[in-house]
């Protein structure tokens, strides 16, 4: 199958301190060719180079991937990773320094505010202009016009020049045009960065509709929940290179855990370096599924097991293993409860494993760190070992039903997302 997008060894270098890149006309090229010999002579006479700076910055470096027709692919990464530069090259706004990008189909793009509209034209005129650029006949644009205006919710200002629009109005119209003029490939950069929550919900819903119609979408966003819900695959860029590519949950977890410094499993092979006190030594902590497979990211509907392995150096010790779960805002969600009989259990010498299960539909979407501790049986309880940030896990909520969200694309508040039991009876 011919891909919708093929990116092969793509590179983009910018000169640091050099003149800004701009479009060149034929007249510019002829004039530059005529000036070049004299500029070189003048440079020699002055004893310095005419180049402002020979330092370059690689915004993209050897980037390669393919997107199949009908796929929705997320492009993620930290600020400065090269995401927007990639979309500008795919949109033919800027040229690559090396490699190439082929797009097979009519392309619509929604990049940063200010791209794609003529400020001196009205909203109405820009709709027809954008449709013409996409190669659509006027009657087809006219057929979509009312739908575009209704979606953008700026009907009173549709005959106002867009230079008088606020950033929110501009983005509403820009997204409505990009999504409704039926491009075969849609490139979207941070559509959720501008606009209120209600309009963000509309945008996400429209993107789902576009993907279900079989169009190809490349979606750049820092909103990992939106990327996880909308995209089947993701590409992670890091310092201009492809750091990971594959199923969205795994790639999102790779991105998130780069900032946490811990993953879903942690072991201390060198037991002499493991946390230890009072005859107890922590050996390993892991998060896994029912089959015992360690996972970085869990479906919100899936139970999560937290297993703590430890060694008891001498018999007769009594203590309680426990952990707490902290979200990415630093809020402690809960402390694991202890078994009622644990204070009475006398541990045998040797290796032990304690597993606690978090039910499905309990944690909300997001990234969580897990602190592990052992508490001695004293009054009051005394901490024996405390290992903060022992592991980290991510939870994602797909749009497949079976969770509190259902198929809603709205932002969901709360630090927990339990599926509670409802009963209803006639009054």
């Amino acid at each position: 199958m011919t891909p919708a997008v093929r990116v092969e060894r793509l590179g983009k270098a910018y000169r640091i301190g050099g003149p800004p890149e701009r479009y060149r006309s034929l007249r510019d090229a002829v004039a530059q060719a005529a000036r070049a010999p004299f500029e070189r002579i003048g440079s020699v006479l002055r004893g310095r180079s005419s180049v402002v700076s020979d330092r370059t910055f690689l915004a993209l470096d050897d980037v390669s991937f393919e997107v199949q027709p009908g796929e929705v692919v997320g492009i993620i990464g930290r600020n400065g990773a090269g995401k927007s530069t990639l979309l500008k090259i795919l949109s033919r706004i800027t040229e690559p320094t090396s490699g190439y990008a082929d797009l097979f189909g009519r392309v619509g793009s929604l990049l940063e505010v200010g791209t794609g509209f003529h400020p001196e034209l009205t909203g109405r005129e820009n709709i027809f202009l954008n449709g013409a650029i996409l190669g659509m006949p006027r009657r087809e644009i006219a057929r979509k016009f009312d739908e575009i205006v209704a979606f953008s919710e700026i009907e009173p200002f549709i005959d106002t020049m867009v230079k008088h629009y606020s950033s929110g109005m501009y983005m509403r119209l820009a997204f409505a045009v990009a999504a409704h003029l039926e491009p075969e490939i849609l490139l979207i950069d941070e559509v959720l960065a501008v606009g209120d929550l209600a309009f963000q919900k509309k945008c996400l819903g429209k993107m789902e509709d576009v993907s279900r119609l079989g169009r190809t979408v490349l979606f750049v966003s820092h909103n990992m929940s939106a990327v996880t819900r909308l995209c089947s695959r993701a590409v992670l860029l890091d310092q201009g290179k492809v750091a990971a590519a594959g199923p969205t949950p795994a790639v999102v977890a790779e991105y998130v855990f780069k900032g946490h410094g811990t993953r879903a499993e942690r072991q201390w092979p060198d037991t002499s370096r493991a946390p230890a006190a009072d005859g107890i030594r922590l050996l390993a902590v892991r998060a896994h599924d029912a089959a015992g497979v360690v996972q970085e990211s869990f479906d919100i509907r899936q139970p999560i097991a937290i297993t703590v392995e430890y060694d008891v150096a001498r018999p007769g010790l009594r203590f309680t293993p426990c952990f707490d779960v902290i979200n990415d805002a630093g809020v402690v969600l809960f402390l694991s409860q202890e078994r009622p009989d644990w204070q009475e259990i006398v541990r045998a010498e040797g290796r032990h494993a304690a597993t606690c299960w978090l039910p499905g539909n309990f944690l909300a979407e997001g990234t969580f760190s897990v602190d592990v501790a052992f508490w001695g049986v004293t009054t009051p309880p005394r901490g024996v070992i405390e290992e903060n940030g022992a592991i980290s896990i991510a939870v994602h909520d797909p749009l497949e039903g079976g969770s509190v969200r259902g198929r809603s694309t709205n932002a969901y508040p709360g630090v927990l997302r339990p599926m509670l039991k409802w009963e209803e009876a006639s009054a």
Side-chain angles (χ1 to χ4, degrees):
M1 177 187 296
T2 302
V5 178
R6 178 188 291 129
V7 175
E8 190 68 31
R9 302 186 68 86
L10 199 64
K12 180 62 178 178
Y14 290 100
R15 181 181 295 167
I16 300 176
E21 184 177 333
R22 65 181 182 89
Y23 292 111
R24 299 180 64 202
S25 65
L26 177 60
R27 182 177 63 182
D28 293 332
V30 172
Q32 176 62 30
R35 289 196 306 266
F38 300 101
E39 289 179 346
R40 285 195 294 270
I41 293 172
S43 175
V44 171
L45 292 175
R46 289 189 299 269
R48 60 183 177 86
S49 171
S50 61
V51 176
V52 176
S53 171
D54 59 358
R55 294 183 299 151
T56 58
F57 166 71
L58 280 176
L60 293 175
D61 185 8
D62 199 27
V63 172
S64 299
F65 63 89
E66 290 187 354
V67 181
Q68 299 303 319
E71 273 195 306
V72 181
V73 176
I75 309 295
I76 62 176
R78 303 189 185 282
N79 291 332
K83 307 183 298 299
S84 296
T85 299
L86 173 62
L87 257 60
K88 286 179 181 178
I89 292 175
L90 295 179
S91 300
R92 304 300 193 247
I93 291 175
T94 189
E95 294 182 356
T97 306
S98 60
Y100 65 90
D102 290 334
L103 291 88
F104 301 89
R106 192 164 63 188
V107 179
S109 58
L110 177 59
L111 307 182
E112 70 265 22
V113 175
T115 302
F117 280 179
H118 194 296
E120 300 294 332
L121 299 180
T122 66
R124 181 188 303 271
E125 291 166 337
N126 270 292
I127 291 174
F128 281 92
L129 175 62
N130 273 260
I133 291 172
L134 286 173
M136 299 176 64
R138 185 177 179 84
R139 63 180 180 276
E140 187 177 349
I141 304 170
R143 180 171 57 86
K144 290 281 186 179
F145 182 83
D146 289 342
E147 189 178 350
I148 292 171
V149 175
F151 186 94
S152 66
E153 301 175 0
I154 61 166
E155 184 174 3
F157 310 99
I158 196 63
D159 290 310
T160 301
M161 286 188 292
V162 299
K163 68 180 181 180
H164 299 303
Y165 285 8
S166 68
S167 60
M169 292 167 62
Y170 191 104
M171 184 59 75
R172 285 171 179 266
L173 184 60
F175 183 86
V177 168
H180 287 81
L181 290 184
E182 300 183 353
E184 293 159 309
I185 302 171
L186 185 58
L187 310 176
I188 301 178
D189 189 357
E190 287 296 359
V191 67
L192 303 180
V194 179
D196 53 37
L197 287 177
F199 188 70
Q200 291 178 16
K201 178 182 178 181
K202 283 179 63 173
C203 290
L204 288 171
K206 186 61 182 177
M207 288 177 62
E208 291 171 24
D209 294 340
V210 168
S211 65
R212 282 196 289 268
L213 290 172
R215 297 180 203 152
T216 305
V217 180
L218 266 69
F219 178 41
V220 168
S221 181
H222 288 287
N223 186 324
M224 293 301 103
S225 296
V227 170
T228 302
R229 292 199 300 273
L230 294 171
C231 305
S232 57
R233 289 199 307 122
V235 175
L236 172 60
L237 294 180
D238 185 22
Q239 296 183 346
K241 294 179 177 289
V242 175
T248 301
V251 177
V252 168
E254 180 74 21
Y255 168 60
V256 169
F257 291 131
K258 277 182 176 292
H260 274 258
T262 55
R263 305 299 290 261
E265 182 175 25
R266 188 172 181 187
Q267 300 184 54
W268 287 266
D270 184 355
T271 57
S272 65
R273 295 179 174 271
D278 292 355
I280 307 167
R281 187 177 299 275
L282 180 61
L283 301 178
V285 185
R286 63 178 61 90
H288 58 86
D289 61 14
V293 178
V294 173
Q295 295 191 36
E296 307 284 5
S297 183
F298 292 84
D299 186 312
I300 198 169
R301 303 163 295 184
Q302 179 182 12
I304 304 171
I306 306 294
T307 293
V308 179
E309 294 186 11
Y310 56 93
D311 183 75
V312 176
R314 62 179 187 271
L317 295 179
R318 292 192 299 167
F319 55 88
T320 299
C322 61
F323 62 88
D324 54 22
V325 176
I326 304 165
N327 69 7
D328 51 13
V331 177
V332 178
L333 304 186
F334 61 90
L335 176 68
S336 63
Q337 85 286 0
E338 64 178 54
R339 274 174 37 176
D341 62 341
W342 254 348
Q343 294 189 14
E344 310 303 323
I345 296 176
V346 178
R347 300 304 200 287
E349 185 178 352
R351 188 167 184 140
H352 299 257
T355 299
C356 181
W357 286 92
L358 308 182
N361 286 311
F362 176 63
L363 292 176
E365 287 176 286
T367 308
F368 307 91
S369 61
V370 178
D371 296 348
V372 175
F374 293 88
W375 291 86
V377 180
T378 59
T379 304
R382 180 177 59 86
V384 178
I385 298 175
E386 296 185 22
E387 183 65 23
N388 295 327
I391 60 172
S392 297
I393 58 173
V395 174
H396 62 275
D397 190 351
L399 292 172
E400 299 173 359
S403 73
V404 173
R405 173 184 293 282
R407 296 188 64 84
S408 168
T409 58
N410 197 10
Y412 236 84
V415 294
L416 296 176
R417 194 173 298 172
M419 182 171 282
L420 304 175
K421 182 179 179 180
W422 281 80
E423 293 181 352
E424 186 174 0
S426 299

